[in-house]
Amino acid sequence: MGDLKSETLSFEDKSVTLVSVKNGEAAIGVCSAGYTGMGGTGAVSKVFFIGGEAIMNIACPNHNHKQSSKLMCFSPGYKGYDQKIYNVLNVCFSRLVAGEPAFAALKDLLNLLQDGVYTLYVSDYYPTDGAGNFFWGAYNVSHEVHGTADRNRVIGNSVYKPCFLIPSQPLDYYTSKMKVQADERVKGRDIQGIAYHISGFHSILLKGHHGAVACAEADIPFRCLVIEKVCEPYTDPVVLPDPDPVPAPTAEEEAAAESDEAQVQQQAQVPQTAAQPITPPVFVPEGITGFRSASLKLPIETIPKEMLKLILEGRSEYKPRQFNALLAKMNAPRRKAVSNNVLPLTVLEKAEKMPDVEMLESAFAISSISDEQLNCLLAGDVECNGEVIVSPNFYQSIVTACNYLQFTDPKRFVDFTIAIMDNPELSATHEYVSSRALCFGSNKKLFRFFSDALASGDAKYDKILPAANKFASRYKEK
């Protein structure tokens, strides 16, 4: 057994769970396979593995350039991983669903990871590949998966929440019998799966494949416990404070300055120009500010010493002892792949309507949105104080604001969506906003609003009635 430690950090009004893994079994993770030719010349090959099985082949173009999206597909010969690891995942997930704290529930799973520091958190996922395809059968053929770059060009250095999925099981495992069982189980669970972050917006689903199908069909939010490695150094620029104000000149000094200036201009015949506004200077310090993952930036002073030492002395990726076996399986003969067509048609149709990578990029590209700006949107205006809030398109502005608030400020999201649904002049957005509100199925404020809307019979609520019925019935069941 490896050495596992957990710390809960509080900073900047946030609470973060960190876990360190030392002397782990390295049975789950990602490692580099070098230049194998996959993805073309200049592409670095990587593999996500579980035990001795190569599961996902990953090609990183341009010598693993951080801003390049990756090419991904199932390893050609992959059929499934070791039953012992499968049993560990089942036990850990059962503990998690039963209400055990994340660290206690996942101890056996965490021991299977590569050495390093990880953050654990719960987040909503869309069970697609980020392009409208249901995730389970979307990786049979190697192709570029938009949104998998380590550093997103649109978001820049800001943090964001990964929210799209990659399967860890081939679609051969799907059975209608398991799907029927999942249909009932997902109704009583707050957490539907366990995901391991790979790159960009995408995470590997370790547990919960049939649950993802059931949740998509029933419009139930697919909420996962996410394991995300913290290892990337970052440096934040520092805005220097404004200099001390210069004392106002005396009347004599002003008169003398004006006389001198007039004389100089007359001699040089240079017209006087208006003074330009002074922008505060930005200083980029040497060294690093801290270490980060996709969803988290940790200032170096907040990281416990033992964990900081593990990050500094360790490596973000390293070859496990079964590397040679993995390399051989990466290039095994291709087997016949099962397509998404075996899944219910309603699931595939709903996947096409789920938010895609471009939509999430636009949401996380926003650094902040004020209450004043939200009030302008509620008034049907896309501008605030003469500046465009999000986009000149009103519907796109509402969609982007909902995305941003859902992943950054759930309380304001609830207030904003209720205000939209209560305004008949914004009825064009009611159907979309009400469907997004289903993600907060245990929120009392939303339940009261939907219950009142159902009881009122008011025509202004017509477009939200389907979502209101779903929300109320699920809330009562819980």
Side-chain angles (χ1 to χ4, degrees):
M1 291 289 289
D3 182 13
L4 305 177
K5 292 183 180 179
S6 174
E7 292 277 355
T8 300
L9 308 183
S10 296
F11 67 99
E12 298 177 357
D13 298 326
K14 293 183 292 187
S15 181
V16 177
T17 299
L18 287 185
V19 172
S20 65
V21 179
K22 192 174 182 180
N23 300 321
E25 295 187 23
I28 296 176
V30 176
C31 68
S32 175
Y35 293 90
T36 65
M38 182 178 68
T41 56
V44 176
S45 296
K46 294 186 179 183
V47 58
F48 172 78
F49 60 90
I50 295 182
E53 297 296 328
I55 294 179
M56 191 62 56
N57 287 358
I58 306 169
C60 310
N62 304 320
H63 307 283
N64 194 24
H65 192 274
K66 295 293 185 182
Q67 290 186 327
S68 296
S69 290
K70 297 170 172 50
L71 283 74
M72 293 186 177
C73 71
F74 265 125
S75 292
Y78 175 60
K79 296 180 181 180
Y81 52 84
D82 188 88
Q83 185 66 35
K84 291 182 179 179
I85 298 178
Y86 183 80
N87 292 338
V88 168
L89 285 168
N90 285 339
V91 170
C92 291
F93 185 62
S94 297
R95 292 173 180 167
L96 196 64
V97 171
E100 286 192 32
F103 177 67
L106 298 186
K107 271 190 174 181
D108 293 338
L109 172 57
L110 294 171
N111 190 59
L112 298 177
L113 302 180
Q114 294 174 305
D115 288 359
V117 176
Y118 300 83
T119 179
L120 304 180
Y121 63 94
V122 176
S123 183
D124 288 342
Y125 272 74
Y126 302 112
T128 75
D129 64 348
N133 305 301
F134 194 75
F135 80 103
W136 205 345
Y139 297 86
N140 292 331
V141 178
S142 180
H143 66 288
E144 182 179 309
V145 183
H146 183 47
T148 52
D150 295 306
R151 294 178 186 170
N152 191 282
R153 296 177 187 271
V154 177
I155 298 173
N157 292 321
S158 301
V159 295
Y160 56 92
K161 288 288 181 70
C163 48
F164 300 110
L165 291 173
I166 302 168
S168 64
Q169 292 181 346
L171 199 49
D172 309 57
Y173 277 63
Y174 174 78
T175 65
S176 56
K177 181 180 179 181
M178 291 285 288
K179 159 68 168 50
V180 171
Q181 294 176 357
D183 287 340
E184 293 301 317
R185 291 173 180 170
V186 296
K187 294 177 182 178
R189 297 195 301 228
D190 287 329
I191 297 178
Q192 308 288 358
I194 301 174
Y196 178 96
H197 178 248
I198 291 291
S199 180
F201 279 102
H202 292 70
S203 299
I204 288 266
L205 185 63
L206 300 178
K207 176 66 181 175
H209 292 68
H210 283 88
V213 179
C215 286
E217 188 173 48
D219 294 323
I220 295 174
F222 191 68
R223 189 165 289 118
C224 292
L225 188 286
V226 189
I227 303 170
E228 193 175 279
K229 197 165 192 178
V230 181
C231 59
E232 182 75 16
Y234 73 94
T235 301
D236 277 343
V238 177
V239 178
L240 298 179
D242 294 333
D244 294 333
V246 179
T250 63
E252 293 79 5
E253 290 173 338
E254 284 185 349
E258 289 176 0
S259 175
D260 293 342
E261 186 178 353
Q263 185 177 359
V264 170
Q265 287 186 358
Q266 185 176 5
Q267 292 175 354
Q269 295 182 347
V270 177
Q272 187 174 3
T273 58
Q276 298 296 318
I278 299 175
T279 57
V282 176
F283 169 67
V284 179
E286 294 183 1
I288 65 172
T289 306
F291 290 91
R292 63 166 295 170
S293 62
S295 67
L296 176 68
K297 280 185 174 181
L298 282 175
I300 201 164
E301 64 273 10
T302 65
I303 306 174
K305 289 184 179 180
E306 289 188 11
M307 292 187 176
L308 182 60
K309 182 179 179 181
L310 188 59
I311 295 174
L312 293 172
E313 294 182 350
R315 290 175 289 175
S316 59
E317 298 173 4
Y318 60 90
K319 293 179 174 63
R321 53 182 176 273
Q322 68 271 29
F323 174 73
N324 290 334
L326 296 174
L327 191 62
K329 291 179 180 179
M330 285 178 67
N331 301 310
R334 178 166 292 279
R335 56 189 292 273
K336 184 178 179 181
V338 179
S339 75
N340 260 341
N341 292 334
V342 302
L343 299 172
L345 180 59
T346 53
V347 171
L348 303 183
E349 290 175 343
K350 288 181 178 181
E352 292 177 356
K353 298 177 182 178
M354 290 181 183
D356 57 17
V357 170
E358 286 80 4
M359 188 180 294
L360 270 296
E361 284 177 339
S362 66
F364 286 109
I366 302 174
S367 58
S368 64
I369 187 164
S370 67
D371 289 338
E372 184 183 7
Q373 291 172 322
L374 292 179
N375 290 332
C376 289
L377 289 176
L378 291 173
D381 196 350
V382 296
E383 293 186 1
C384 180
N385 297 326
E387 296 183 356
V388 175
I389 300 169
V390 176
S391 165
N393 182 287
F394 178 71
Y395 184 81
Q396 182 62 40
S397 297
I398 292 292
V399 169
T400 303
C402 283
N403 282 329
Y404 173 79
L405 293 174
Q406 179 182 342
F407 287 98
T408 61
D409 197 336
K411 183 180 182 299
R412 292 171 74 207
F413 171 83
V414 170
D415 294 338
F416 184 59
T417 53
I418 289 177
I420 290 174
M421 293 185 289
D422 205 31
N423 188 342
E425 295 181 1
L426 303 180
S427 60
T429 63
H430 281 188
E431 187 175 356
Y432 174 80
V433 170
S434 61
S435 66
R436 295 299 300 275
L438 292 174
C439 295
F440 292 81
S442 58
N443 187 277
K444 291 183 180 179
K445 195 170 184 178
L446 278 171
F447 173 68
R448 286 196 298 269
F449 171 78
F450 281 130
S451 298
D452 292 343
L454 290 170
S456 71
D458 196 320
K460 72 176 183 179
Y461 297 126
D462 285 351
K463 290 189 176 182
I464 71 169
L465 292 181
N469 280 311
K470 287 181 182 177
F471 191 100
S473 60
R474 291 176 190 166
Y475 187 91
K476 291 174 182 177
E477 286 178 2
K478 289 185 178 182

